[in-house]
């Protein structure tokens, strides 16, 4: 069962299936409600939030990348599915992509009255990168702000503190599925120097993209496993899956290997799943992967 046209939720909000909802003034600051049934929140269903890839800049990648997987999961399980769009580079630089995702998550929970149950994140490519950053978003954003002048800050420090408070109050995440992610840009550029074309568009400097990811950061909070702390939304984190297609021609499996080992060293509940889901941009359309995610949802019911 899915939404009816103009279905009203218990908080008085009226939403429609496949509706796009704005969470900011920019046209890209929207999330899409593929399917949402409030009863699933109360019962044993799940709510998945999808973060698309596209090297932080490709307008061809949007929340609609998830359409095939969303339909499959909806047909097989009690699954609410939502996708987030965020502003793209070079119009914006890090940490704006991350700030947009945080803002969107707050708006999703508020709009859909979803505070009572954790969300599940699924991210592809840099969408998976954003999931990794979300685990420690406060430290990552603060390190970026230290590199910027006051006039260069994407939002005021006061507004940032308000966002932190809202995320802590409203957002809970207990599972994360990371597909074909970039987790260490320094390592990636060592293997593929030509990738600097999109990395340099997304970050203001080498210092910025170095400190933006725990694996390459110089901060003791990231280097020392004993000092590693998850951000508030992940206090109940029960499962992280690092997923990589053996046919991926764009992102090397060494990225997944590295983040898997990093998270294991910090005693996080992480496992990997490597299989042939097709080339990089076929992964999010793979029914094989959709079926595997369905089995995971069913197993953890």
């Amino acid at each position: 069962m899915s939404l009816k046209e103009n279905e009203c939720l218990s908080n008085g909000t009226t939403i429609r299936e496949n509706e796009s909802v704005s969470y900011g003034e920019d046209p890209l600051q929207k999330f899409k409600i593929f399917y949402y049934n409030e009863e699933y929140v109360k019962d044993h269903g799940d709510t998945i939030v999808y973060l698309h890839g596209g090297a932080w800049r490709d307008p061809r990648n949007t929340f609609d990348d998830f359409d095939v997987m969303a339909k499959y999961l909806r047909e097989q399980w009690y699954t609410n599915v939502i996708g987030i769009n965020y502003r793209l580079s070079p119009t914006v630089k890090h940490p704006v992509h991350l700030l947009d995702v945080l803002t969107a998550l707050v708006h999703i929970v508020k709009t859909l009255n979803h505070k009572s149950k954790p969300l599940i994140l699924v991210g592809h490519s840099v969408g998976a990168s954003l999931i990794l950053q979300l685990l420690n978003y406060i430290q990552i954003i603060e390190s970026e702000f230290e590199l910027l002048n006051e006039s260069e800050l994407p939002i005021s420090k006061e507004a940032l503190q308000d966002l932190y408070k809202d995320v802590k109050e409203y957002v809970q995440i207990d599972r994360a599925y990371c597909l074909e992610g970039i987790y260490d840009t320094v390592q990636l550029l060592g293997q593929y120097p030509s990738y600097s074309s999109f990395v340099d568009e997304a970050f203001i400097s080498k210092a910025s993209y170095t400190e933006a990811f725990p694996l390459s950061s110089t901060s003791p909070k990231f280097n020392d496993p004993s000092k590693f702390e998850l951000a508030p939304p992940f206090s109940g984190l029960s499962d992280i899956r690092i997923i990589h297609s053996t046919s991926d021609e764009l992102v090397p499996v060494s990225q997944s290997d590295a983040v898997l080992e990093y998270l294991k060293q910090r005693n996080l509940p992480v496992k990997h799943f490597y299989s042939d889901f097709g080339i990089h941009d076929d992964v999010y359309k793979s029914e094989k992967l959709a079926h595997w995610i369905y089995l995971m949802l069913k197993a953890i019911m």
Side-chain angles (χ1 to χ4, degrees):
M1 182 172 67
S2 58
L3 279 173
K4 300 175 182 178
E5 190 80 5
N6 296 319
E7 183 163 329
C8 187
L9 303 181
S10 61
N11 65 352
T13 301
T14 300
I15 58 175
R16 289 180 291 183
E17 193 170 290
N18 291 315
E19 178 182 7
S20 294
V21 180
S22 295
Y23 63 87
E25 296 180 358
D26 191 280
L28 286 175
Q29 290 178 297
K30 292 183 178 180
F31 62 86
K32 180 176 180 177
I33 305 167
F34 287 91
Y35 308 102
Y36 194 82
N37 186 323
E38 195 171 28
E39 295 303 312
Y40 295 170
V41 182
K42 300 174 184 177
D43 201 355
H44 57 266
D46 296 295
T47 299
I48 289 177
V49 178
Y50 175 71
L51 307 179
H52 69 79
W56 297 286
R57 69 175 184 178
D58 195 335
R60 294 171 296 181
N61 291 107
T62 70
F63 43 43
D64 285 323
D65 289 352
F66 198 49
D67 188 56
V68 172
M69 192 176 291
K71 288 179 179 177
Y72 183 89
L73 292 176
R74 177 60 193 85
E75 291 169 357
Q76 300 295 324
W77 192 242
Y78 306 97
T79 311
N80 297 320
V81 185
I82 300 159
I84 293 175
N85 278 356
Y86 47 87
R87 287 173 287 177
L88 302 176
S89 299
T91 304
V92 300
K93 304 278 189 179
H94 170 77
V96 170
H97 322 95
L98 184 56
L99 291 168
D100 274 3
V101 171
L102 288 166
T103 303
L105 289 170
V106 171
H107 277 256
I108 287 169
V109 174
K110 286 183 174 181
T111 301
L112 301 179
N113 195 29
H114 199 285
K115 192 175 178 180
S116 62
K117 193 168 185 179
L119 302 169
I120 300 169
L121 299 183
V122 176
H124 175 258
S125 195
V126 300
S129 312
L130 286 162
I131 291 177
L132 177 66
Q133 292 178 307
L134 285 169
L135 296 178
N136 306 96
Y137 65 86
I138 296 175
Q139 295 97 312
I140 288 171
I141 293 171
E142 296 297 330
S143 69
E144 184 68 19
F145 272 43
E146 291 176 3
L147 299 173
L148 300 172
N149 297 321
E150 193 78 25
S151 61
E152 297 174 316
L153 298 180
I155 62 174
S156 70
K157 292 181 179 179
E158 293 76 13
L160 180 62
Q161 293 303 315
D162 288 340
L163 177 59
Y164 288 165
K165 291 177 183 177
D166 281 346
V167 173
K168 184 176 181 179
E169 179 179 355
Y170 290 101
V171 182
Q172 301 176 66
I173 299 162
D174 72 344
R175 281 171 275 170
Y177 301 138
C178 302
L179 323 176
E180 318 300 304
I182 295 172
Y183 308 111
D184 185 339
T185 48
V186 175
Q187 182 193 70
L188 184 71
L189 293 176
Q191 292 181 264
Y192 300 93
S194 63
Y195 284 9
S196 62
S197 61
F198 67 81
V199 173
D200 289 345
E201 284 192 346
F203 298 86
I204 62 170
S205 64
K206 181 177 180 180
S208 175
Y209 66 70
T210 299
E211 300 304 322
F213 293 94
L215 277 69
S216 57
S217 174
T218 60
S219 170
K221 292 182 179 179
F222 293 132
N223 293 334
D224 185 345
S226 67
K227 296 181 179 179
F228 186 87
E229 293 183 7
L230 289 172
F234 295 92
S235 60
L237 185 66
S238 64
D239 190 28
I240 305 174
R241 300 288 167 143
I242 305 301
I243 301 163
H244 206 99
S245 175
T246 54
S247 294
D248 192 316
E249 81 289 15
L250 297 180
V251 177
V253 71
S254 57
Q255 290 285 308
S256 290
D257 289 342
V259 76
L260 181 66
E261 182 61 25
Y262 180 89
L263 297 175
K264 281 183 176 179
Q265 290 176 357
R266 283 142 187 85
N267 297 316
L268 295 184
V270 61
K271 295 180 180 179
H272 71 287
F273 184 38
Y274 297 173
S275 188
D276 189 356
F277 302 115
I279 62 175
H280 188 76
D281 284 325
D282 284 346
V283 172
Y284 53 78
K285 296 176 284 188
S286 167
E287 285 203 2
K288 177 181 177 181
L289 178 59
H291 180 69
W292 179 85
I293 291 177
Y294 151 69
L295 292 177
M296 290 302 304
L297 298 176
K298 186 177 180 181
I300 300 175
M301 181 184 73

